[in-house]
Amino acid sequence: MTDALKRLSEEGVAIWLDDLSRKRITSGNLAELIDQQHIVGVTTNPSIFQKAISHGDGYEQQLTDLATRKVTVDEAIRMITTADVRDAADILRPVFDATEGQDGRVSIEVDPRLAHNTAATVAEAKQLAWLVDRPNTLIKIPATKAGLPAITEVIGKGISVNVTLIFSLERYREVMDAYLAGLEKAKAAGLDLSKIYSVASFFVSRVDSEIDKRLDALGTDEAKALKGKAALANARLAYEAYEEVFSSDRWAALDKAQANKQRPLWASTGVKDPAYKDTLYVVDLVAPGTVNTMPEATLDATADHGEITGNTIAGTYDQSRTEIAAVEKLGISYDDVVQVLEDEGVDKFEASWNDLLKSTEAELQRLAPSEG
C-alpha cells in the first residue's frame, strides 16, 4: 500500500497531510499516518478548521469550558485551534528531532482578515508562536503585498514561516527575497540561522481550474489541447526559480552561516477536474527538496496507484515556458489569472473564518450555563 509513498519520500519529496482535526489526533489516526503512510508534516488553514470544528466531534468539552468562562468568540477559536496544533506538533516531534528540524512541522495561519495589514500580521504571528509554544510550528503568512514585509520581519525575529497563497512566479521570487532579507536581519541580530525554517506554498490545481475555465470559454481545438497543462508548467517554472535563487551569491553567504533553504511546497494538490488523473499534481511534480501537502483522498490515491518514476521536473523548463506562452497567445492573461486567484484565495479563507466565527458563536451560546 505504501510503496509509492515510500518511493516519493526517497525522491526527496516530504509528504505532508493537508488536514487536521481533534478526532484525527485523539483517535490515533495522525500517529498511524506518520507510522504507515510516510507523513512527516501537517498543514492547516481556516477552511480546514472551519470544517473540523463545525462538523467534527471532540470539541464540546473545551467549548463548554470556554462558554463558562465567557470568552470572546475570537479567543475561543484561537484556544481551540492552537490546542489542536500543539497536540499535533507533539505527535510529530520525533520526526522533527529525526530530521533535525526540517520536517515534523505543523502549520497554523494568521487570521486571514489581516492579510492586507503588515503590522497586524507580524503581531499575530508572534502571538501564535507564543501560544502554540512548540519549536516545530510554522506560522502561515499569505503572500500578499502586505504579507511580504511581514515575512521578512517575522523571519528576522527567528520565527519559522510557511508562506501561503502563492500563485505567480513573480510573487514567488518576491517571497524568496523576503525570506532571504529576513535571514539577513536575523543574522545581524545574532540569531542562530540553523534554527529558522520556511516553506513557500505554491498553489497548483487552482491555476488549472481558472485557466481551463477560460480555455473552455474560447472553445477552439487549440484551446482544448492546452487544458490541464498550465498548473504543472507554472509549478515547474517555480522550481526553476528556486534553483536559481538558492544557488546565488546572496544565498551562499547565508548558507555559510548555516541557514536553511526555503523549500517549495506544492499546495492545492487535490485534482478539481475528474477528467484528470487523481495523482496528477503529485507524480508530475517530483523533485528533491520539495514538500507536497495532500488532502487525504490524494494521499490514498497516491498510495494505491501513484506511479513514481523519478524526478519529473528536471528538463521540463523550456516546454513549460512554451505552454504558458501558448495560453497567453490565446488572449488569456497570466497576470490577470494569478491576481484573480490570489484575491479569491484571501476571500475564501476569510469567508471560512467568518463561518467559523458564526458556528463557534452559536456553540458558545448553546453551551453557556444559565444565569443564577
Side-chain angles (χ1 to χ4, degrees):
M1 184 72 172
T2 59
D3 279 356
L5 297 174
K6 182 171 184 281
R7 285 200 296 279
L8 193 59
S9 300
E10 288 166 353
E11 289 293 336
V13 179
I15 303 168
W16 291 8
L17 177 71
D18 193 25
D19 190 54
L20 186 63
S21 66
R22 189 153 300 176
K23 191 172 183 183
R24 202 182 273 289
I25 291 164
T26 56
S27 67
N29 173 260
L30 178 58
E32 191 178 289
L33 289 172
I34 295 163
D35 185 47
Q36 296 176 16
Q37 301 280 63
H38 302 275
I39 292 292
V40 293
V42 167
T43 48
T44 68
N45 61 45
S47 302
I48 284 168
F49 277 128
Q50 192 269 329
K51 191 174 86 175
I53 296 167
S54 303
H55 307 112
D57 48 17
Y59 295 99
E60 187 135 324
Q61 184 57 60
Q62 188 177 13
L63 279 163
T64 301
D65 292 345
L66 292 166
T68 304
R69 288 173 49 216
K70 297 182 179 175
V71 305
T72 65
V73 65
D74 281 90
E75 187 186 347
I77 287 168
R78 276 309 176 211
M79 292 298 102
I80 291 165
T81 57
T82 54
D84 279 359
V85 168
R86 192 181 305 116
D87 288 344
D90 287 343
I91 294 167
L92 277 154
R93 184 59 190 263
V95 177
F96 174 80
D97 292 338
T99 60
E100 299 182 334
Q102 175 112 301
D103 288 305
R105 296 273 174 180
V106 187
S107 299
I108 184 167
E109 189 139 357
V110 297
D111 184 332
R113 295 171 297 179
L114 309 177
H116 301 296
N117 184 327
T118 303
T121 294
V122 172
E124 170 97 342
K126 286 157 62 180
Q127 173 75 358
L128 282 174
W130 177 82
L131 263 178
V132 177
D133 194 27
R134 293 295 184 271
N136 50 329
T137 311
L138 290 171
I139 307 302
K140 285 180 96 171
I141 296 176
T144 55
K145 277 290 182 191
L148 294 170
I151 293 156
T152 296
E153 192 67 24
V154 172
I155 291 289
K157 293 182 185 303
I159 296 169
S160 294
V161 171
N162 175 344
V163 184
T164 188
L165 289 176
I166 308 169
F167 297 95
S168 85
L169 296 167
E170 182 186 0
R171 184 56 53 83
Y172 178 42
R173 285 184 181 276
E174 291 173 335
V175 165
M176 290 188 283
D177 181 70
Y179 175 61
L180 297 184
L183 289 176
E184 286 156 355
K185 279 187 87 154
K187 186 182 174 189
L191 299 182
D192 180 356
L193 300 193
S194 72
K195 298 280 192 284
I196 304 171
Y197 285 83
S198 183
V199 293
S201 295
F202 199 87
F203 279 53
V204 187
S205 67
R206 293 187 198 182
V207 173
D208 270 343
S209 297
E210 182 63 27
I211 289 181
D212 284 359
K213 184 173 72 180
R214 299 183 188 205
L215 290 168
D216 279 336
L218 292 172
T220 64
D221 289 344
E222 195 182 0
K224 286 174 188 165
L226 287 168
K227 284 185 68 178
K229 294 188 172 174
L232 288 176
N234 198 39
R236 286 164 168 175
L237 292 174
Y239 191 79
E240 180 187 40
Y242 158 77
E243 288 184 313
E244 277 176 27
V245 170
F246 289 98
S247 59
S248 66
D249 291 343
R250 185 184 182 192
W251 168 249
L254 290 162
D255 187 37
K256 208 176 283 183
Q258 294 191 303
N260 298 294
K261 289 179 181 176
Q262 181 186 55
R263 288 182 294 171
L265 177 151
W266 310 129
S268 180
T269 57
V271 171
K272 306 282 195 290
D273 187 333
Y276 302 151
K277 63 183 179 187
D278 51 7
T279 59
L280 179 67
Y281 304 123
V282 178
V283 300
D284 287 331
L285 287 175
V286 177
T290 58
V291 180
N292 195 308
T293 185
M294 308 179 204
E296 193 165 21
T298 305
L299 179 78
D300 289 345
T302 305
D304 182 57
H305 52 264
E307 293 178 21
I308 310 303
T309 57
N311 188 325
T312 47
I313 292 182
T316 63
Y317 303 146
D318 287 344
Q319 179 66 23
S320 297
R321 267 186 283 278
T322 300
E323 285 164 354
I324 297 286
V327 168
E328 287 223 292
K329 199 175 166 191
L330 293 178
I332 295 170
S333 164
Y334 174 85
D335 289 342
D336 181 64
V337 165
V338 293
Q339 191 58 56
V340 163
L341 289 170
E342 182 185 306
D343 294 343
E344 277 183 1
V346 173
D347 289 347
K348 279 177 184 168
F349 280 171
E350 197 170 323
S352 294
W353 196 259
N354 288 330
D355 288 346
L356 180 53
L357 285 168
K358 283 182 205 146
S359 53
T360 304
E361 178 88 79
E363 282 296 279
L364 290 171
Q365 285 173 359
R366 182 179 73 82
L367 296 166
S370 51
E371 299 293 330

